[in-house]
Amino acid sequence: MGKPDSQASLHNSQLFLSIDHLEKRFGSLRVTADVSFSASEGEILALLGPSGSGKTTVLRLVAGFETPDAGRIVVAQEDVTRTPPERRRFGMVFQHYALFPHMNVGENVAFGLETQGLSGAEVAQRVGEMLASVDLAGFENRRVSQLSGGQQQRVALARALAPRPRVLLLDEPLSNLDPTLRERTRRELKRIIRKVEITTLFVTHEQEEAFEIGDRIAILNRGQLEQIGSAEELYENPASRFVASFIGRSSTLSGIWEGPIRVRLPSGVHWAAVATTRIEPGSPVDLLVRPEALAFSDRDTPLGLNGEVIERRYVGRMAYFVVRLYGAGEVEVLADADAARIGQKVTVFPAPGGPPPRVYPRESA
């Protein structure tokens, strides 16, 4: 079932795009199942999930390239579920940009404007305005082959925005860029979208990209909507085990739930934890814990689990340390970069003031 929109009560008076109980099958395979969410006017909503989660199918359904088997798509109070793509007035930027190599930049941006009944002068003016909005003023006569990857992405964005669409749809728009260019371009992309104030849906499998660009993020898994909310909501209050493990970094420990806020670990120590669903005392559970929720010491502590540091990944003044616990698996701990060395014996315990671990019923092997 699609989870409720976490900000529906805040945005009801401003809702611009609504997706209601969307379902799509390809033969016997159900690709999306009862997906519902909404976006406010001018909001940027990221569709995030692993490969095969259904996020691109949802985008194609919204665009009109696929027809849903059930559900509705409503924009500005208009039901467009059965409306052809060309009549929805949506702009689309594809993963590979789909620029025409035989046309120059201006011709690419102008493509499709003639159908709006604009004169040649009006088309030229619109093209100039769109290129200026993406910081490519004066590029009208450049060949596509002369542009960098980031510039091509902005030309594709200008072309999508030129007809003044009601909704902008982006399908993995930065996936073809190298990491350094991708980081810079996503900042530019958000700035441009903010400037034109257009409701935007964009598909990505990159968490960092979704967190930086999206006002909210919709998490999809196996065709279902797991949760929708801000980056902070998803990280700090995950609605399901999948969201807790998919968003950010976490380690899993086995234990026995003793309730109401206590789990017993294999070494016999007890840690405070939060259960997101009802669990009977005595039930086997998995404890999902964030790296920043753990600390370690070279001395024994009452709540400690003994182990050995086996990996260290430096991230500036901090580092992620992987600790192999004796008889209890492995955990990742975020600590000062010089806090330990590989091979050092340590005791891992809950960090004072850190986010409490979350407990979920034990998954079958």
Side-chain angles (χ1 to χ4, degrees), residues 34 101 162 167 184 232 238 283 305:
D34 195 28
V167 176
R184 184 171 70 248
E232 290 82 0
S283 300
L305 301 173

Side-chain angles (χ1 to χ4, degrees), residues 5 11-12 14-22 35-40 45 62 71-81 90 167 199 201:
D5 189 323
H11 289 288
N12 278 340
Q14 308 169 31
L15 288 185
F16 189 73
L17 175 67
S18 294
I19 309 303
D20 298 323
H21 306 291
L22 214 57
V35 173
S36 297
F37 61 84
S38 59
S40 310
L45 180 64
V62 174
R72 293 195 318 151
I73 301 162
V74 178
V75 59
Q77 301 183 340
E78 176 190 352
D79 189 330
V80 298
T81 311
F90 290 179
V167 176
T199 302
L201 296 184

Side-chain angles (χ1 to χ4, degrees), residues 51-110:
S51 297
S53 61
K55 56 189 184 295
T56 294
T57 299
V58 170
L59 197 74
R60 290 179 62 83
L61 289 167
V62 174
F65 300 144
E66 303 287 352
T67 302
D69 297 308
R72 293 195 318 151
I73 301 162
V74 178
V75 59
Q77 301 183 340
E78 176 190 352
D79 189 330
V80 298
T81 311
R82 307 294 167 180
T83 302
E86 65 274 11
R87 292 176 50 200
R88 296 193 183 193
R89 293 173 49 211
F90 290 179
M92 183 88 179
V93 177
F94 297 92
Q95 182 175 352
H96 298 286
Y97 308 148
L99 297 176
F100 301 113
H102 62 285
M103 295 181 180
N104 63 28
V105 168
E107 291 166 341
N108 266 278
V109 176

Side-chain angles (χ1 to χ4, degrees), residues 52 76 85 110 115 153 186 211 242 244 247-248 261 279 310 321-322 324:
T115 61
Q153 191 266 355
R186 70 183 178 220
F211 279 24
F242 173 81
I247 294 295
I261 56 169
I279 303 175
I310 60 171
F321 296 87
V322 177
R324 179 180 293 143

Side-chain angles (χ1 to χ4, degrees), residues 200-329:
T200 301
L201 296 184
F202 81 98
V203 162
T204 180
H205 65 274
E206 295 282 349
Q207 290 185 34
E208 190 173 349
E209 187 173 296
F211 279 24
E212 181 169 342
I213 299 177
D215 296 316
R216 289 183 302 151
I217 301 100
I219 305 294
L220 291 161
N221 179 39
R222 297 180 180 178
Q224 294 185 311
L225 181 64
E226 293 275 345
Q227 188 176 356
I228 183 170
S230 67
E232 290 82 0
E233 289 171 332
L234 298 176
Y235 188 85
E236 296 175 7
N237 296 294
S240 68
R241 180 196 182 102
F242 173 81
V243 175
S245 59
F246 182 71
I247 294 295
R249 306 167 72 100
S250 62
S251 304
T252 303
L253 294 173
S254 299
I256 301 297
W257 181 242
E258 295 190 344
I261 56 169
R262 194 167 80 156
V263 63
R264 184 176 79 248
L265 298 175
S267 62
V269 302
H270 294 86
W271 283 8
V274 175
T276 58
T277 186
R278 178 174 173 77
I279 303 175
E280 291 296 326
S283 300
V285 293
D286 289 330
L287 188 72
L288 268 68
V289 56
R290 303 289 190 191
E292 67 271 22
L294 295 174
F296 55 55
S297 171
D298 57 3
R299 291 174 291 188
D300 287 340
T301 67
L303 296 177
L305 301 173
N306 294 324
E308 178 181 340
V309 176
I310 60 171
E311 291 180 26
R312 173 182 177 272
R313 188 169 73 86
Y314 179 74
V315 287
R317 295 174 59 185
M318 307 293 285
Y320 288 99
F321 296 87
V322 177
V323 179
R324 179 180 293 143
L325 301 172
Y326 302 141

